Structure formats: C-alpha cells, structure tokens
Amino acid sequence: LVFFCCLVVALVGAAIATTGVDVSQVTLPEAWSCLKKNGYDFGIIRCYQSTGNVDPNCPHTVYNAAAAGIAHIDVYIFPCPHCGNPAGQIQATYDWLNKFKALGKVGMFWLDIEGSQYWGGQSENRDFFMGLVNTAEKLGIRLGVYTSQSQWCPIMGCSFSGGAKYPLWYAHYDGSESFSDFSPFGGWSRPKMKQFAGNKDVCGAGVDLNWYPTF
C-alpha cells in the first residue's frame, strides 16, 4: 500500500510539470522532432533582436516547431531601448508574424528584460517598458516577462512593479527544476516558469532549458 501511494504521488508529480526550450537561431524540423521525442513539450523562439530588427528566422522556426508537433509555441522579444519607439518594436514583431500567417500558432509574447548595457536610466527604462506593454495590450497580445532579480533591479529598480500583472519567466542556471531558489522582486511573489540551464546542445540545436509547472 505504501508503495502504491508513493507511485501515485510520483505519477501525479510527473504530470504537473513540463520542460521546454528557447532558441535564438534557426531551428530545423528534425531538431524539433528530436526535442519532442526527448520530452521537451514547448518552444520559445526569438522574434525581435537587440539590434532593433525583427528576427528573420522567427516565422519559419515557428512553423518548424509546429510541424514537429510541439504542443505550445511562444516567442520572445529582445527589445532595443536605445532605438526608441517601443510601440513600433511590438508592432513590427506582430506584423512580422502576421505576414507569414504564423501569429495564430503563437501563444504568448515574452519581453526579455536583461543586459543593463542595453538600457539607460531607470526612469527612462520604465517609460520604455510601459510603452512595450501598453502597445501589446492594445494589440490583444498575451504577454509575459523574462528577467531575473539581478537584471530587473539595476534596469528598472527592485520596487518597480509595472510588469507584476504579467507572468514571470525567470533565469537561474542552477540546474534545478524547482522554484525553491526564487525570492520575490518587482511585485512578483511567484514565477510561472524558470530557465534553469543555458547554452546547451540538444538534438543538434543550441537551446536553453526551461521548466514550467502546470499546477
């Protein structure tokens, strides 16, 4: 009986979390198929670059993931604060996906907030960030924020909670598929997803590894 109970708990535990990858380069259908066979259920694809341009590989990589049967596909935006025009950056990403009819295959847009060298002063940064989120909301985009305490605090200020109503995807390369390491910041008391390992070669693709509990 004890064994049976433990087995049930283990099976339930396995069913309430999933792992996936994010990519910043073209990823071919065979790589996605291999990733799926190896238990990776979702993919997050870069669709805007820090240089201030849409990622040319994004729409086709979205299609490649969908063709391989990846269940959930999101995109992320690495904004260019020094380029200005946050509304234009969101709109360009939206239009780029829509041009290739890939928009309907995407669940969420994640804003990648990291790298203080790309940003200015905190007040300026906050205004730029709100420009991103306000435009996304007007377009009906489901939005999330990718960042970490070590990035958010110097860029936006630890107390700035302008992104707190959106899901948080945070980075900590400790190799642990859990939130036990998380400390609240920026108005977030609990994250939605964790990037727990980076710069991995899996199935011939360069990926970061992510853990998403579904409970």
Side-chain angles (χ1 to χ4, degrees):
L1 181 59
V2 172
F3 173 78
F4 176 75
C5 290
C6 291
L7 179 61
V8 169
V9 169
L11 289 173
V12 170
I16 60 176
T18 183
T19 53
V21 302
D22 64 272
V23 300
S24 59
Q25 56 194 4
V26 63
T27 306
L28 299 175
E30 52 266 32
W32 287 113
S33 295
C34 176
L35 287 163
K36 181 176 171 59
K37 289 177 183 177
N38 280 274
Y40 296 98
D41 296 319
F42 63 88
I44 307 174
I45 297 158
R46 187 180 67 185
C47 214
Y48 197 87
Q49 301 170 304
S50 60
T51 53
N53 302 288
V54 293
D55 190 322
N57 298 316
C58 175
H60 297 300
T61 300
V62 168
Y63 270 104
N64 291 343
I70 298 296
H72 303 285
I73 303 168
D74 292 346
V75 297
Y76 75 90
I77 294 171
F78 200 130
C80 178
H82 295 306
C83 300
N85 192 15
Q89 295 184 33
I90 295 291
Q91 187 71 57
T93 308
Y94 182 94
D95 292 345
W96 186 231
L97 287 164
N98 199 35
K99 177 181 179 180
F100 290 90
K101 296 181 171 57
L103 197 58
K105 300 182 182 298
V106 173
M108 290 184 65
F109 284 43
W110 296 89
L111 300 177
D112 188 340
I113 310 300
E114 63 175 320
S116 57
Q117 69 272 25
Y118 300 111
W119 295 79
Q122 288 185 353
S123 178
E124 177 187 355
N125 295 342
R126 293 175 182 184
D127 288 344
F128 183 88
F129 178 81
M130 295 311 300
L132 295 171
V133 301
N134 290 339
T135 304
E137 288 189 349
K138 288 177 183 177
L139 290 170
I141 290 170
R142 291 180 59 207
L143 201 61
V145 179
Y146 167 88
T147 192
S148 60
Q149 188 176 54
S150 65
Q151 299 298 316
W152 184 263
C153 289
I155 294 170
M156 301 291 177
C158 291
S159 63
F160 177 63
S161 58
K165 70 176 181 178
Y166 306 107
L168 173 65
W169 168 24
Y170 78 107
H172 185 200
Y173 293 174
D174 61 352
S176 175
E177 296 180 29
S178 80
F179 293 154
S180 61
D181 59 312
F182 181 76
S183 297
F185 69 94
W188 288 290
S189 58
R190 182 174 175 82
K192 289 292 185 181
M193 182 164 56
K194 177 181 179 181
Q195 187 182 75
F196 64 89
N199 301 316
K200 300 295 183 180
D201 188 325
V202 184
C203 294
V207 303
D208 300 322
L209 305 182
N210 303 279
W211 178 77
Y212 180 85
T214 54
F215 53 84

